[in-house]
Amino acid sequence: MKIFGKVRHRPSASWRQATDRAFTLIGDGRYEDAGALLTRAADLEPWLSESWFNLALLHKFRHDWEQARSAGLRAVALLDRETGAPDWWNVGIAATALQDWPLARRAWQAYGLKVPGEPTESGEPHGMELGSAAVRLSPEGEAEVVWGRRLDPARIEVLSIPLPSSGRRWGEVVLHDGVPHGERVIAAGPSFPVFDEIELWAPSPVPTWVVLLEAATEADRDALERLAADAGFAAEDWSSSVRLLCRSCSESQMPSDEGDGEHLDPHDHSEPGHPGPLGHRTAGAGELWLPERECGIAAPAGLVRGLLDGWVADNPDSREWRDLEEVC
């Protein structure tokens, strides 16, 4: 058959059977067996870009970035089109994982993205201005969706304070996949994609603490969050920011908070009125403020108590803290 004047070879039945079986095995987590079949498919049809794209995809699942880069480069060398191919996106992820910045820049540009400015001394792409997004940490385990800042098409800096069950910290940079799984919609209307974490790219030295607050008003709670931010770190009221969802809801379009009134979504598995990371939701309009709040703090050990004491000292009649514990 012809595509834009080029003759494209139709894959054989053996190639299709091996490939279909390989992706079934990938779905079952049997990567070694799938790799043998995809290698056989590439031997059968080495001139097909799909043969090498599939191998690059498998190596990405296995986090074998050297092999993913090698197979990805063979795939893009056989492409029928110049821009927009997902093959280039996979090359960009592998190059980013390996900090192969010249190849990463080339991959994003070949995909059709603008990479502004000249390469830095390290070669790392900067200034792509991709904005905010959400990332699903530990997508195959006890998944948690947090907010972050996109550094480039494959990395997000975590700006929320993750729960300790995720094993992640505020300020860490995670490598993420290219296809979003779900959206989060804020009250003003814009929607933000939710990407799945692939692996930790850069750890954070800042520990996570949990503390119980007595905050008489929302303004008292907000004051602690501002105080931490002014110090260059973070505090987050987990009693209002955490919401438990089933997987199907988490991977669909969901509001980032309940907005006005009581949230009646039957797939929301949290419980009102119980602060803590395993069951709560934001108070709706007209509900009483609960002074006891469970708060996550990201700050060095030598600073965290000073932050809390300073917060109390600013308004001791309406603020207290207790039970500070390092959790991650």
Side-chain angles (χ1 to χ4, degrees), residues 11 36 51 56 58 60 72 85 91 156 193 203 213 222 252 300 305:
S51 295
L58 171 69
K60 182 184 75 171
V91 169
I156 289 180
L213 305 179
D222 295 345
S252 65
R305 286 175 176 80

Side-chain angles (χ1 to χ4, degrees), residues 37-119:
L37 285 171
L38 290 178
T39 299
R40 180 184 170 213
D43 289 339
L44 288 169
E45 308 282 7
W47 45 81
L48 279 180
S49 63
E50 290 91 337
S51 295
W52 304 104
F53 172 83
N54 293 336
L55 269 173
L57 198 63
L58 171 69
H59 293 313
K60 182 184 75 171
F61 295 151
R62 298 174 63 188
H63 303 183
D64 186 341
W65 300 116
E66 293 282 0
Q67 292 293 335
R69 176 174 59 182
S70 177
L73 287 172
R74 294 195 68 168
V76 297
L78 295 167
L79 287 175
D80 292 320
R81 52 179 167 153
E82 294 184 0
T83 61
D87 310 66
W88 277 114
W89 197 284
N90 281 339
V91 169
I93 292 175
T96 301
L98 295 167
Q99 300 186 43
D100 182 348
W101 300 123
L103 179 58
R105 292 179 67 90
R106 177 184 164 207
W108 305 134
Q109 290 169 335
Y111 186 78
L113 301 176
K114 183 179 179 181
V115 184
E118 295 299 319

Side-chain angles (χ1 to χ4, degrees), residues 180-202:
H181 278 169
E183 291 181 305
R184 294 297 180 269
V185 183
I186 64 173
S191 63
F192 296 86
V194 180
F195 297 100
D196 284 346
E197 174 194 14
I198 298 176
E199 66 182 18
L200 178 64
W201 191 86

Side-chain angles (χ1 to χ4, degrees), residues 1 5 23 36 64 92 105 128 132 154 159 191 241 253 269 280 321:
M1 69 188 199
F23 278 94
D64 186 341
R105 292 179 67 90
M128 296 187 73
S132 299
L159 299 182
S191 63
S241 67
Q253 185 183 78
H269 306 302
H280 46 260
W321 67 268

Side-chain angles (χ1 to χ4, degrees), residues 208-324:
T208 303
W209 307 81
V210 62
V211 64
L212 287 179
L213 305 179
E214 286 291 334
T217 66
E218 290 185 64
D220 289 309
R221 183 273 316 276
D222 295 345
L224 177 60
E225 295 183 348
R226 285 195 301 272
L227 194 65
D230 289 345
F233 299 99
E236 182 176 328
D237 180 7
W238 283 340
S239 295
S240 61
S241 67
V242 177
R243 187 171 165 210
L244 299 185
L245 299 171
C246 63
R247 179 175 290 273
S248 63
C249 286
S250 178
E251 295 181 355
S252 65
Q253 185 183 78
M254 294 296 294
S256 63
D257 56 38
E258 286 81 2
D260 295 332
E262 175 67 11
H263 187 78
L264 299 176
D265 183 353
H267 295 282
D268 187 333
H269 306 302
S270 57
E271 298 176 9
H274 295 282
L278 295 181
H280 46 260
R281 49 186 150 169
T282 308
E287 288 188 24
L288 293 176
W289 170 259
L290 299 174
E292 183 174 277
R293 320 298 296 175
E294 186 168 64
C295 182
I297 299 179
L303 180 66
V304 63
R305 286 175 176 80
L307 278 174
L308 290 165
D309 288 341
W311 172 71
V312 171
D314 286 342
N315 199 348
D317 292 336
S318 62
R319 302 174 186 175
E320 292 181 18
W321 67 268
R322 70 180 191 276
D323 298 338
L324 179 68

